[in-house]
Amino acid sequence: MEPKLTCDPKSCWEIYDTKKHRKAMEDVCGRYRDFLSRCKTEREVVAWGQNILKAKGFSEDFSSDLVMRDHRGKTLFFARKGKRPLSDGIRLIGSHADSPRVDFKQHPLYEECEVGLAKTHYYGGIKKYQWFSRPLALHGVIAKTNGETVHISIGDDPVDPVFVIADLLPHLSQKQNEQKVSEAFEAEKMNIYLGHAPAEEKKEADEKDDDSTDRIKRNILQLLNKKYGIVEEDLYSAEIQAVPAGPAREVGLDTSMIGSYGQDDRICVFTSMEAFLESPEPEYTQVVIFWDKEEIGSDGSTGAQSLFFEYCMEDLIDAWEPETKFRNVMNKTRALSSDVHSALDPDYQEVHEKLNASRLGYGPVFCKFTGHRGKYGANDAHAEYVAWLRRILNEAGVPWQMAELGRVDLGGGGTVAKYLAIYGMNIIDFGPGILSMHSPFEISSKMDVYATVLAYKVFLKN
Ligand code: MN
Ligand code: MN
């Protein structure tokens, strides 16, 4: 067929307007909501992935054809052997499992004005005001000196209590109202309400080290001790994250959208896992990786700038094809940095340049380059690679769109793409557009979830 002279993108709602597609879309989005509701930290995402893969026969034995490996429970690598040798390159999809949130400080507990509180330090790019006056859940781990790691999850089970960062009443906000948003909400005022009732008098009298002050904090410590067997010093070796409490929800009278915390980038984690599970017996070896620390620059031993991926690939090559060089595999590798894009926002259209903005419900979005101000800090995917991707998706009839993050010089962003590009592989950012990104309740289109799974399947197959 002759290609069309002009390109007129079509909404997935039109393309997939059949009962069969709608049913398949609802099925995948049901699983997606369940995943979002249960996995609120990178550790929980990695455990979720490991459980699924283990049940499918994946193991840590790199001499087998189905392998997986985690690093510190925060990042996950898994692979399925293809018919072709590794020297022909692999198909790689990399997303990130961490999301912006509010972390406990290492010395969190104190009491003030009859309230027991926890000091926090936010993680990633948040708009601080969005985190006040809303129910929060606490997820994380506390590592004890005896080697035991206690897992914490309070606030997401409907019978659990929740937590909150309280906001200032409007009656006394006159001064705050006149401040700049960046100054009006102070990080050091983002303290989480943990309790209010003092420790019981009797119990207290029994304790010799009691100084009869801080009875609310003492009560909180007693409760934590009873529930988890921990003492205050154990919090120094804890990673406790405050995240929005409650499940992912359908949004709109037509239930066409999904609203949830953490869709950046768990929408790509989930869709790449779905696509991977549905793509057995591949031509090329498939590798999927869920990174940590993307939201704070991909640093650390579990971020995309670490050598974890390289070590995994080296072991894979040693086990499968020891004569092949790592660099040769990388050179022929085709990869997707699967991360979210910002969909055209009906209320803030002025921050987008509409011709190059992505639209909700128009399928996953290619972002040829990210970065800011003159493409600084960008991975810029090669035109030839973009052409190949266009071809395989068009041949499969799967919709996609091409867009830029926002108006030039208004801001910008980065992903893991540039950290993988250094190996010489072909890589491009490709993921659904969402609204209200980095907020406690991000919005996605069900159709984009569906189309993204289909697109990743096409990629893994070709
Ligand atoms: Mn992201
Ligand atoms: Mn992000």
Side-chain angles (χ1 to χ4, degrees):
M1 206 173 73
E2 278 287 298
K4 273 181 71 185
L5 188 61
T6 56
C7 68
D8 319 296
K10 243 173 135 183
S11 162
C12 296
W13 293 96
E14 283 176 53
I15 297 166
Y16 294 126
D17 190 19
T18 64
K19 276 215 173 88
K20 193 179 141 235
H21 281 298
R22 292 287 174 101
K23 163 83 172 56
M25 178 197 79
E26 291 296 351
D27 285 351
V28 68
C29 288
R31 291 196 291 278
Y32 178 46
R33 277 192 290 130
D34 181 59
F35 159 75
L36 286 172
S37 305
R38 289 192 294 129
C39 298
K40 298 204 170 179
T41 67
E42 58 280 357
R43 285 180 191 262
E44 289 167 355
V45 169
V46 167
W48 164 87
Q50 285 171 317
N51 280 337
I52 291 174
L53 294 166
K54 218 171 151 193
K56 302 266 179 197
F58 284 72
S59 80
E60 315 233 336
D61 171 13
F62 270 44
S63 64
S64 75
D65 293 353
L66 305 173
V67 305
M68 63 173 179
R69 179 183 289 169
D70 74 295
H71 193 57
R72 313 283 180 216
K74 295 175 177 179
T75 184
L76 183 64
F77 169 102
F78 49 103
R80 182 192 279 129
K81 197 178 204 164
K83 291 176 199 132
R84 296 191 191 222
L86 288 172
S87 53
D88 282 358
I90 60 170
R91 299 289 174 263
L92 168 69
I93 304 183
S95 57
H96 67 92
D98 63 317
S99 294
R101 59 181 189 245
V102 179
D103 287 343
F104 270 33
K105 287 194 186 187
Q106 290 331 112
H107 194 151
L109 301 186
Y110 71 107
E111 75 171 76
E112 201 83 67
C113 310
E114 315 313 317
V115 182
L117 300 122
K119 296 296 297 177
T120 67
H121 192 144
Y122 63 96
Y123 172 96
I126 62 166
K127 290 172 111 173
K128 297 191 192 86
Y129 66 82
Q130 295 175 337
W131 292 76
F132 292 83
S133 294
R134 62 173 305 132
L136 298 172
L138 300 179
H139 290 239
V141 297
I142 302 172
K144 302 207 284 192
T145 49
N146 66 4
E148 190 193 340
T149 299
V150 184
H151 288 259
I152 283 188
S153 172
I154 321 169
D156 273 307
D157 187 327
V159 301
D160 283 349
V162 294
F163 308 90
V164 71
I165 300 168
D167 201 358
L168 180 63
L169 66 169
H171 315 64
L172 297 177
S173 295
Q174 205 159 318
K175 221 168 136 190
Q176 188 188 47
N177 290 344
E178 279 151 26
Q179 285 177 295
K180 291 203 293 188
V181 180
S182 59
E183 287 157 11
F185 305 94
E186 282 175 55
E188 292 293 358
K189 290 193 194 293
M190 297 181 72
N191 302 312
I192 295 177
Y193 283 40
L194 293 180
H196 158 65
E200 280 173 45
E201 290 282 5
K202 264 188 203 159
K203 238 183 197 168
E204 209 177 0
D206 293 340
E207 291 187 34
K208 284 186 183 124
D209 63 342
D210 174 45
D211 54 6
S212 81
T213 60
D214 283 358
R215 281 179 53 213
I216 298 169
K217 173 186 159 183
R218 176 171 290 273
N219 192 29
I220 289 165
L221 275 169
Q222 281 171 357
L223 290 166
L224 287 172
N225 182 266
K226 209 172 141 200
K227 198 168 161 75
Y228 300 114
I230 61 140
V231 295
E232 189 171 19
E233 197 191 284
D234 290 324
L235 295 172
Y236 284 132
S237 51
E239 291 169 2
I240 301 176
Q241 313 177 357
V243 295
R249 303 290 298 270
E250 292 180 307
V251 173
L253 283 172
D254 56 6
T255 66
S256 56
M257 294 168 279
I258 290 170
S260 170
Y261 165 68
Q263 296 200 68
D264 172 9
D265 184 31
R266 292 177 195 141
I267 195 169
C268 295
V269 165
F270 175 82
T271 48
S272 55
M273 177 63 98
E274 284 271 319
F276 180 83
L277 294 176
E278 291 169 23
S279 308
E281 295 170 24
E283 196 63 22
Y284 293 86
T285 289
Q286 303 160 331
V287 173
V288 174
I289 188 158
F290 303 150
W291 296 107
D292 177 32
K293 298 286 183 288
E294 194 278 343
E295 295 295 356
I296 56 168
S298 296
D299 292 299
S301 73
T302 51
Q305 294 199 68
S306 75
L307 300 181
F308 172 64
F309 167 71
E310 200 173 314
Y311 293 161
C312 289
M313 283 308 299
E314 276 173 1
D315 287 348
L316 207 61
I317 293 167
D318 280 349
W320 290 359
E321 232 175 277
E323 68 285 2
T324 297
K325 277 189 173 145
F326 172 70
R327 73 176 81 142
N328 294 345
V329 180
M330 289 297 100
N331 226 347
K332 289 197 173 154
T333 285
R334 295 179 182 193
L336 296 178
S337 158
S338 54
D339 208 339
V340 292
H341 201 265
S342 64
L344 182 60
D345 186 325
D347 286 318
Y348 296 92
Q349 297 182 42
E350 67 278 12
V351 303
H352 302 271
E353 183 270 285
K354 279 196 202 167
L355 198 55
N356 288 282
S358 75
R359 290 204 259 170
L360 201 66
Y362 275 63
V365 187
F366 284 113
C367 191
K368 188 172 176 295
F369 53 87
T370 53
H372 57 97
R373 291 170 197 279
K375 302 193 180 182
Y376 241 83
N379 164 61
D380 196 349
H382 304 294
E384 294 83 350
Y385 184 46
V386 179
W388 177 75
L389 288 160
R390 280 174 51 214
R391 178 168 70 74
I392 61 168
L393 289 166
N394 289 348
E395 279 174 4
V398 173
W400 51 273
Q401 33 181 343
M402 177 66 69
E404 216 178 302
L405 190 61
R407 290 184 79 86
V408 182
D409 283 352
L410 257 196
T415 65
V416 300
K418 64 176 175 177
Y419 304 120
L420 292 169
I422 59 169
Y423 294 113
M425 66 178 73
N426 258 312
I427 187 164
I428 187 167
D429 282 295
F430 189 46
I434 62 171
L435 290 164
S436 220
M437 195 192 294
H438 281 205
S439 81
F441 198 70
E442 301 172 310
I443 306 294
S444 64
S445 162
K446 281 185 178 177
M447 263 308 173
D448 288 333
V449 176
Y450 181 57
T452 302
V453 174
L454 297 179
Y456 289 171
K457 272 170 74 174
V458 171
F459 172 78
L460 288 172
K461 205 174 82 186
N462 275 271

